[in-house]
Amino acid sequence: GAGVSQSPSNKVTEKGKDVELRCDPISGHTALYWYRQRLGQGLEFLIYFQGNSAPDKSGLPSDRFSAERTGESVSTLTIQRTQQEDSAVYLCASSLLNTDTQYFGPGTRLTVL
Amino acid sequence: KQEVTQIPAALSVPEGENLVLNCSFTDSAIYNLQWFRQDPGKGLTSLLLIQSSQREQTSGRLNASLDKSSGRSTLYIAASQPGDSATYLCAVKKATDSWGKLQFGAGTQVVVTP
């Protein structure tokens, strides 16, 4: 497919466990973004990657959150020692150099018990 | 700090009526504003993007206006259909951050009844 894909679509974990969420951006898109959407709330920016530049991590809520991106392809968002307040839908988006439209994946719904 | 507000939070209209969704933002120094649609269990779909130098954008039955000085944008959907039922989100990007994050409103949940 040509869109942004994310896996898994759903993840249920126990408090204290680590989780890893994956995002495959649209091929050729140099910018990649992670957002979080808690139930009934708007999207919160977490982190973005632009080519080989240093990522903008200003939205990460704590040092339990980290993300990596391999070149201009796959990105993984890791949450260590998950807490119940981490329960949310995690959305990934990508955009093409010279355009501003961000294309979103379907999200990963994370539930921390 | 930029704050984005959407009013109303929810809206229900009969099929055929026009929809008017409002978005306001506190810092007028924006790079662009984007309207998205979100369906349950799915990601966001971009509807319209308005650059800061533009006053409006149109696509089919959708029209979005932007008044940067007053910090407002309005999304109009003409002749609503049940398939328009979704949550509509507006998002702004700071003028100094052309490649950076979008700041979202909480959304307006729309139900169009047949």
Side-chain angles (χ1 to χ4, degrees):
Chain A
V4 177
S5 61
Q6 293 186 245
S7 61
S9 55
N10 282 284
K11 176 73 177 178
V12 180
T13 190
E14 294 179 348
K15 178 181 173 181
K17 300 282 188 183
D18 297 352
V19 296
E20 198 171 271
L21 312 180
R22 176 187 170 108
C23 172
D24 282 273
I26 294 172
S27 178
H29 281 195
T30 60
L32 185 147
Y33 311 79
W34 282 98
Y35 295 87
R36 174 172 75 174
Q37 186 175 32
R38 291 171 166 166
L39 187 63
Q41 298 185 21
L43 275 74
E44 305 169 71
F45 166 79
L46 297 177
I47 185 170
Y48 104 92
F49 299 87
Q50 172 59 53
N52 294 320
S53 302
D56 177 353
K57 303 179 181 181
S58 60
L60 294 179
S62 78
D63 59 8
R64 297 187 294 105
F65 288 71
S66 62
E68 294 184 348
R69 187 181 185 192
T70 307
E72 294 184 353
S73 61
V74 171
S75 175
T76 55
L77 175 69
T78 301
I79 308 173
Q80 296 178 310
R81 306 181 302 281
T82 52
Q83 303 295 312
Q84 288 183 333
E85 63 262 28
D86 298 335
S87 295
V89 176
Y90 289 82
L91 290 157
C92 173
S94 69
S95 66
L96 179 64
L97 186 67
N98 292 331
T99 69
D100 292 313
T101 300
Q102 293 186 16
Y103 296 89
F104 281 77
T108 293
R109 181 175 296 279
L110 174 66
T111 303
V112 182
L113 302 176
Chain B
K1 177 187 173 185
Q2 178 73 274
E3 292 185 4
V4 183
T5 304
Q6 291 188 248
I7 295 173
L11 183 61
S12 181
V13 298
E15 182 177 3
E17 276 200 10
N18 297 331
L19 286 163
V20 180
L21 310 178
N22 297 299
C23 172
S24 63
F25 44 95
T26 54
D27 185 350
S28 62
I30 64 169
Y31 184 78
N32 62 38
L33 183 145
Q34 202 164 351
W35 281 95
F36 293 88
R37 168 187 173 132
Q38 185 173 31
D39 294 283
K42 297 184 180 180
L44 277 66
T45 302
S46 179
L47 297 174
L48 292 167
L49 184 149
I50 312 176
Q51 302 292 353
S52 62
S53 58
Q54 297 176 320
R55 299 285 295 191
E56 67 176 347
Q57 279 285 341
T58 299
S59 176
R61 294 184 295 112
L62 276 61
N63 173 277
S65 66
L66 175 64
D67 184 341
K68 200 172 68 165
S69 61
S70 67
R72 293 180 183 177
S73 177
T74 302
L75 178 66
Y76 301 89
I77 303 177
S80 61
Q81 304 170 357
D84 294 329
S85 298
T87 298
Y88 291 83
L89 300 166
C90 74
V92 299
K93 185 179 288 186
K94 287 194 312 185
T96 55
D97 199 9
S98 63
W99 288 109
K101 58 185 177 284
L102 295 174
Q103 183 145 358
F104 284 83
T108 295
Q109 187 173 10
V110 172
V111 174
V112 180
T113 56

